[in-house]
Amino acid sequence: MKIDDRVEALVRSVLDAAVHKDADRLAAATASLGDKATVTKAVELSLAVAAAVLFEVHEGMPSADQVTEISRTIAEQERWSGVRAAEVDALLRAISTGSPVVTGSGSASAAVPFVVTANLLAAASQPDEGEWWFNYLDKVEAAIEAAG
């Protein structure tokens, strides 16, 4: 996958707001994505990052039980965003099976891919070893571009 630098910068801004659990900034960053084509590219990038992190952390495809547990954990940790466990579960199941991901149009639903990705990045990074979520994102994006 070739990553568009403009879209990547926008996605990084949305992810930063989600990592910092800043609902107002998340809404503004998501709105700043602009037109439908940019939103589509941003969601595609976010989902590619989420899939890469999910598969790396679980050393392959997570089991159905693992997906259920991850979904509950993310929904609990990200309650501030209005993201529901069922939405997270549907997104993670689609990612883990390669099925199309359908996102809602409400403000919380539209943010699901970004909130999930931000959570996965923050949870999988190693800040005590100097690898913050944004450094981990750099590595993941490099791997995505190399693979595509």
Side-chain angles (χ1 to χ4, degrees):
M1 169 182 202
K2 174 70 176 130
I3 297 175
D4 179 313
D5 290 338
R6 185 182 65 82
V7 172
E8 192 275 340
L10 293 168
V11 168
R12 195 170 285 259
S13 178
V14 175
L15 294 176
D16 187 63
V19 166
H20 289 96
K21 300 181 186 318
D22 186 331
D24 292 337
R25 203 159 51 99
L26 178 64
T30 304
S32 75
L33 293 174
D35 61 35
K36 186 173 178 153
T38 303
V39 171
T40 298
K41 287 179 183 178
V43 169
E44 287 172 356
L45 175 56
S46 183
L47 294 174
V49 169
V53 173
L54 189 64
F55 295 152
E56 181 177 322
V57 168
H58 293 282
E59 297 177 356
M61 193 173 313
S63 70
D65 288 341
Q66 287 173 315
V67 169
T68 298
E69 184 59 33
I70 297 164
S71 299
R72 282 190 206 131
T73 300
I74 291 174
E76 178 66 25
Q77 292 172 344
E78 307 300 339
R79 255 193 335 245
W80 65 272
S81 70
V83 170
R84 298 185 334 254
E87 294 171 309
V88 176
D89 191 71
L91 182 124
L92 292 178
R93 288 190 191 285
I95 289 172
S96 65
T97 61
S99 301
V101 174
V102 178
T103 59
S105 58
S107 60
S109 295
V112 172
F114 304 108
V115 171
V116 169
T117 301
N119 182 284
L120 291 170
L121 282 166
S125 62
Q126 308 281 326
D128 53 330
E129 296 176 20
E131 181 183 68
W132 297 92
W133 72 268
F134 45 85
N135 301 122
Y136 186 41
L137 175 59
D138 292 340
K139 291 178 185 178
V140 170
E141 288 176 341
I144 289 169
E145 282 202 318

